[in-house]
Amino acid sequence: MVIITQDMIHQLQNLMESCDEQLKITFENLHQGCPSETMIRFLKARDGNISKAHSMLVDCLNWRTENEIDKILSKPIIPAEFYRSVRDSQLIGMSGYTKDGRPVIAVGVGLSTYDKASIHYYVQSHIQINEYRDRVILPSATKKYERHISTCVKVLDMTGLKLSHLNQIKLLTVISSIDDLNYPEKTDTYYIVNAPYVFSACWKVVKPLLQERTRKKIQVLSGCGKDDLLKIMDYESLPQFCRRQGSGSSKYSKSSTGEDCCFSFDHAFHQQLYNYINQQAAGVKPRAPIKQASFHVGFPEPNLTGCKIAQTIETEFHKLEIQNQLTDEQNGHQKEVNA
């Protein structure tokens, strides 16, 4: 992994001085008082190539300006019951903190359906969580733990992963591209838990296609990952799908509410986030009546690597499906012979 030096940061800083005033203002909103740390993230994302890091950062600032990302936390998804349906179909939440203060973001990959709203609402919600993390959660953690905290860890629950999830590839690719291009190096480690056989088989094929920088951040844990995750966080910070051993322990009930389920709209994290967005909206002047409409964000073009990975997953899923069908047919034939 490339080592970012002060000279690299200084050179990138000099290049950023040539930006127009609007982009400089946007950069201030982006770095939240930590410009050097932000430049380090973009330099890491481009393996220390200063020119590419500069281009990536400028593209990010233009994206933020053109899509008014600085205002997205004053754009609530309304009414509240509709937002609840978004939360029930896009399973993501914050369950607590690691022992060293990094936020723990939980994602229900296998059980998210993305079928209650248009793609724009899911993208809007995802970006709002990113921005709330960067503007509120991380600064608060930095103050609490008395050290600079700029990354989170993510725990990805693969329960329920099926071939039908390929229908969500477009949305997931859009969200992944937004994160890769505009929120680089914000996740320290990805922990994959409750991985079914279909994931395990595809992971062997997909893993070599990933960039080394990304690959090193992914850890596939055994079972629900409870024992491994307790090494870096307390029990109270474990996502609900990691707290019990045994089959079915990670099932997320659509009727689950309250503090126990970090995906639920009733969980403290989502209540605080939604209240914050509504408070920001109330402070906008002049205040116009808020209408139910998604906040449209320009989608980045999926990169070739992402497309290649999606195609590989689809191919492997179909192979497994055919193998399972052949196995079922052979078992059925054997039963007929034995009868």
Side-chain angles (χ1 to χ4, degrees), residues 124-175:
Q124 176 183 352
S125 173
H126 179 82
I127 295 175
Q128 285 178 331
I129 291 175
N130 280 355
E131 292 292 313
Y132 186 71
R133 174 198 65 197
D134 294 349
R135 299 189 210 179
V136 179
I137 298 296
L138 291 174
S140 176
T142 294
K143 183 177 180 180
K144 178 180 178 180
Y145 290 89
E146 298 181 335
R147 72 179 192 87
H148 183 67
I149 298 174
S150 60
T151 61
C152 65
V153 300
K154 290 186 177 179
V155 185
L156 312 180
D157 180 24
M158 295 294 166
T159 298
L161 192 67
K162 299 176 181 177
L163 179 61
S164 59
H165 283 84
L166 289 171
N167 296 329
Q168 303 166 8
I169 284 293
K170 178 183 177 182
L171 172 59
L172 296 178
T173 301
V174 166
I175 289 176

Side-chain angles (χ1 to χ4, degrees), residues 207-219:
K207 184 177 179 180
L209 300 177
L210 300 175
Q211 293 182 3
E212 183 181 3
R213 177 173 50 85
T214 302
R215 191 165 60 242
K216 287 184 175 180
K217 293 183 179 183
I218 299 173
Q219 295 186 31

Side-chain angles (χ1 to χ4, degrees), residues 265-333:
F265 179 40
D266 297 315
H267 188 269
F269 168 73
H270 283 299
Q271 285 292 302
Q272 292 165 8
L273 167 61
Y274 199 65
N275 289 337
Y276 180 88
I277 293 173
N278 279 287
Q279 289 168 5
Q280 295 297 306
V284 175
K285 296 179 181 181
R287 185 180 179 187
I290 299 177
K291 299 179 181 180
Q292 182 178 357
S294 60
F295 188 80
H296 285 220
V297 173
F299 301 151
E301 288 294 326
N303 59 48
L304 295 177
T305 301
C307 294
K308 186 177 180 182
I309 291 174
Q311 291 169 359
T312 302
I313 292 174
E314 183 173 14
T315 300
E316 292 304 309
F317 270 21
H318 281 302
K319 286 181 182 178
L320 288 168
E321 191 176 52
I322 293 171
Q323 290 174 2
N324 290 336
Q325 289 174 353
L326 291 175
T327 301
D328 290 341
E329 290 175 2
Q330 290 171 353
N331 290 338
H333 177 69

